[in-house]
Amino acid sequence: MRKSAGFTLIELVIVIVILGILGAVAAPKFLNLQGDAYKANINALKSSIQSAANLAHTKAILLGQDKGSAAAVDIDGTNVAFYNGYPIATNTGILLMLQDHGSLSSSYTITPGTNVKPLILSPKNRDTSAATDNDKKCQVEYTQARAEATTGGGEDGNAAVTETKTATVTAFTKGC
């Protein structure tokens, strides 16, 4: 009798089926790692911007420039534009507060803000700055501080009252 060396056809089929099942279960877990990385990156950028805004606001309070418009506040040799004690939503404001602000444009699409529109930073490979649905966005928005006039708040009921809104930072990660 001859001794055979190797595997039978049924053994090979079973191994292939097991590998197929493992691939079907494990592949989706690994396919979304890029999305998870973008989410982590967006959340880290949000935290950096929030910390920079808080530090800048503290500096403005110490200098007595936390009310109304201030031309610029010197922060470590850099003149940062402020409004109501927070950096404005442009490249002369909050972006100057970030340590590597020069390299941001190589990784992010930057849409400068105004006093009514937020500054938007979205990864270049996942640019969702034009998205209107928050579930499709992968970006950080910095809304600068502003003053809003409301009517009917005075003692006579008709005088305008100015309400100050602080700067806000929002991360949208569902579109990552």
Side-chain angles (χ1 to χ4, degrees):
M1 210 173 186
R2 207 165 135 218
K3 190 166 191 165
S4 68
F7 299 104
T8 65
L9 183 60
I10 192 74
E11 290 171 326
L12 291 173
V13 169
I14 290 173
V15 169
I16 291 172
V17 168
I18 290 173
L19 288 175
I21 291 171
L22 285 174
V25 171
K29 194 75 172 153
F30 295 112
L31 291 179
N32 198 26
L33 289 181
Q34 190 175 22
D36 291 342
Y38 277 110
K39 286 178 186 178
N41 193 321
I42 290 293
N43 286 325
L45 181 61
K46 175 194 177 232
S47 297
S48 296
I49 292 172
Q50 212 162 21
S51 295
N54 288 336
L55 287 171
H57 183 63
T58 302
K59 177 86 176 200
I61 290 171
L62 292 173
L63 295 174
Q65 296 182 348
D66 58 324
K67 301 287 184 219
S69 179
V73 174
D74 179 36
I75 298 183
D76 292 334
T78 303
N79 288 327
V80 179
F82 274 70
Y83 184 78
N84 273 353
Y86 287 93
I88 63 173
T90 66
N91 57 350
T92 60
I94 191 65
L95 291 180
L96 288 179
M97 291 294 302
L98 301 176
Q99 186 174 11
D100 293 329
H101 66 273
S103 64
L104 276 175
S105 60
S106 64
S107 303
Y108 292 92
T109 300
I110 301 171
T111 307
T114 64
N115 60 343
V116 292
K117 286 185 159 185
L119 167 79
I120 299 172
L121 295 115
S122 59
K124 284 200 173 184
N125 294 341
R126 300 222 174 184
D127 185 9
T128 59
S129 56
T132 55
D133 183 5
N134 287 346
D135 288 345
K136 294 182 180 171
K137 291 181 180 180
C138 181
Q139 64 194 35
V140 175
E141 292 182 0
Y142 173 79
T143 305
Q144 76 180 42
R146 61 191 185 281
E148 293 182 350
T150 57
T151 58
E155 290 179 18
D156 62 358
N158 295 324
V161 174
T162 302
E163 180 182 350
T164 302
K165 302 281 187 180
T166 62
T168 58
V169 184
T170 310
F172 297 95
T173 59
K174 287 188 177 179
C176 294

